[in-house]
Amino acid sequence: MTHEDFMRRAIALSREHMRAGEGGPFGAVIVRDGRIVGEGWNQVVADCDPTAHAEITAIRDACRRLGTFDLTGAEIYTSCEPCPMCLAAIYWAKLARIWYANASADAAAIGFADAFLYRELAAPAAGRSVPAARLLGNEAKVVFDEWSAMPDKVPY
């Protein structure tokens, strides 16, 4: 299969599941060694889950199928440029490359605007629109120290 074939599959998933009323018009596939190892589509509405974006669901599917949380060497084909949450997930999954069809400006034009998230991430914690405050840090640190000392932990 070609890059275009993989992208056409992502676009087909976006169309099919949008028409089914499951969420927005977004689809994604994860490809490793020339074959699709994960597929996803926007399931925000269907699952009542604001994190169920196409890229996230594709990563979850690929990880389940492959039995790993590390997708090193795999690539993602997504029908739209990833939002900040999905971009972070792509980095955490260690995907090697992102291929996208619609640009973030195209998504913004139909009501999916991510610019405010980029502004929020760039602002210092005290200046963000959702307040955050540290609480019981010393107690939580004990758990971190315990994990750090575990000889059989699985780092990631």
Side-chain angles (χ1 to χ4, degrees), residues 14 40 43 137:
S14 75
Q43 297 175 44

Side-chain angles (χ1 to χ4, degrees), residues 27-101:
V29 296
I30 308 287
V31 174
R32 182 186 271 170
D33 298 326
R35 66 182 182 88
I36 294 174
V37 296
E39 294 187 335
W41 50 89
N42 186 288
Q43 297 175 44
V44 169
V45 173
D47 292 352
C48 298
D49 179 355
T51 70
H53 291 198
E55 297 90 340
I56 302 289
T57 61
I59 289 168
R60 290 173 181 164
D61 185 46
C63 289
R64 263 192 308 274
R65 287 190 201 190
L66 298 173
T68 183
F69 55 83
D70 184 342
L71 297 176
T72 297
E75 299 180 342
I76 188 166
Y77 293 78
T78 180
S79 65
C80 187
E81 188 174 0
C83 74
M85 176 184 68
C86 293
L87 186 60
I90 288 165
Y91 277 85
W92 280 117
K94 301 179 183 165
L95 291 167
R97 186 171 182 128
I98 301 165
W99 301 88
Y100 65 91

Side-chain angles (χ1 to χ4, degrees), residues 141-154:
K141 178 76 166 64
V142 172
V143 180
F144 272 19
D145 293 341
E146 183 179 335
W147 185 87
S148 183
M150 290 175 61
D152 58 346
K153 68 179 169 279
V154 178

Side-chain angles (χ1 to χ4, degrees), residues 100-124:
Y100 65 91
N102 288 310
S104 60
D106 300 321
I110 62 167
F112 294 95
D114 299 330
F116 82 96
L117 288 172
Y118 285 107
R119 286 191 304 274
E120 286 286 304
L121 291 171

Side-chain angles (χ1 to χ4, degrees), residues 121-132:
L121 291 171
R128 294 179 184 157
S129 63
V130 176

